[in-house]
Amino acid sequence: MKLRTEFSLMASLLVIIVITGVSVMLFFSQRQMLLDEMRANQENIVKGFVRMGEESLIARNEIALVNYLKLIGKTEGVMYAMLIDMNDRILGHTDLSLLGNIYRDEVGERVKDAEGLLVQRHSDGKGNDVYEVSMPVFISGKKEAVVRIGFSCAVLDGKIERNLNKTRNRILIIAVISLVIGFIGSLIMAGMMIRPINRLSRAVEHIGKGELDYQIKVKQTDELGMLGREFNRMARRLKELDDMKKDFVSSVTHELRSPMTSIRMYIGLLFRGAGGKLSEKQAECLNVIKKSTNRLARFIDDLLDISKIESGKMTIRKESFNILDSVQEIIKLMQPQADSKEIELSVNAPDNLPKINADPERIGQIITNLLSNAIKFTQKNGKIKVDVADSAENLRISVIDNGAGIPKESIGKIFEKFEQVRSIRDTIPGQKGTGLGLPIVKSIVEAHRGKVRVESELDKGSTFIVTLPK
């Protein structure tokens, strides 16, 4: 199917949806307006009856009350209207034969307890639904009586339905006319918009790939041409913001690093007694500060690494070294962290492992990040193994755990910045990561012209495999 046909069909469908939505909205808004108007009218009748009831009780003017009730009785939909005192005696009623009678029902008990306007729907015992509106009558601040007016639900519903039928017919005529005009208009617009839309589509694809300096050649002077120019302006602005973001992150992390170094140095001096002997409580508090400072320092280092990676300034200083020595040294450093969760750390590597030409500090960073993640997401009494394998051209480092694992739908995203598997992360106690470790690992591996991938199964563990050219 051609794009023009697809566009026409989609535009027509959109027109239908919009017309349907607007029609439904108009219908229900009209219905609500009728209901509101009806309720307001009913409230006005009740309030007018309350005022008449007050005047009748004060002036003992029963004739005026009877005349007012006759007027209410002529109102469309009114089944009854009555004024009842607090002893359930009928003081006024549209049926004059009921005057002076005692009238009690469940509805009336709720009415007597009400302090304001009360609306209830009930049956009159004869199979008729009644919409009753009631309100107390106060004289000198004391509740002396209540007024009750019952409206026939069948009459009210019929009145609303008749008005809605007229509205429905008008909406249907307008909808059909709008649909025809919309369909013709969609065909015309489709032919006019396909070409510039294709250009915009290609431009969006370039921007999505991170090519923020991509620009569209704009020749039109109409709205689509304006859209193209705005797109170019947006792309330039995105490029400026991206550069500003990189500069900001780089500047802030550099500015934070110096005071952070001073803080860590002075914490060390305090631990060594430079400020006097520390009490047990002081040492405990200082240890908390030290841990938080170390965590913040690691985050700053990660931000610096990301900033260097994005700006293309990350340096790789290669030298020949034995990677097994680095692995064993890092495992010794990570052992206390593993011991705190009773996790078994092990290494599997051949004895005659050849040296590799790479940046030992950056390779150590890779192993540290992968091991740290493995320990974090492995349960108590779990197992983690670092497997080093040698081939003719490559060296493969695998970090294998039997921890929480990664859902299939998240495996392709975990190497993106700040991306974390929330469903797994929220189940892990203790400090949470920042989502920068794996993107840094990926960038360092690629800077060494290597590859990194992950194999994982939920609740069974993960294996991160780093392949480096020797």
Side-chain angles (χ1 to χ4, degrees), residues 6-24:
E6 291 181 2
F7 185 87
S8 300
L9 291 175
M10 290 298 296
S12 300
L13 179 61
L14 181 61
V15 169
I16 293 171
I17 292 172
V18 170
I19 290 174
T20 303
V22 171
S23 300
V24 171

Side-chain angles (χ1 to χ4, degrees), residues 273-307:
K277 187 177 180 180
L278 298 174
S279 67
E280 185 177 343
K281 185 65 177 178
Q282 289 172 332
E284 182 181 346
C285 292
L286 200 60
N287 196 45
V288 172
I289 296 172
K290 180 181 178 182
K291 289 181 179 178
S292 298
T293 304
N294 289 339
R295 184 165 176 263
L296 182 58
R298 287 194 297 271
F299 178 62
I300 292 171
D301 288 340
D302 286 346
L303 283 177
L304 278 172
D305 285 337
I306 287 292
S307 177

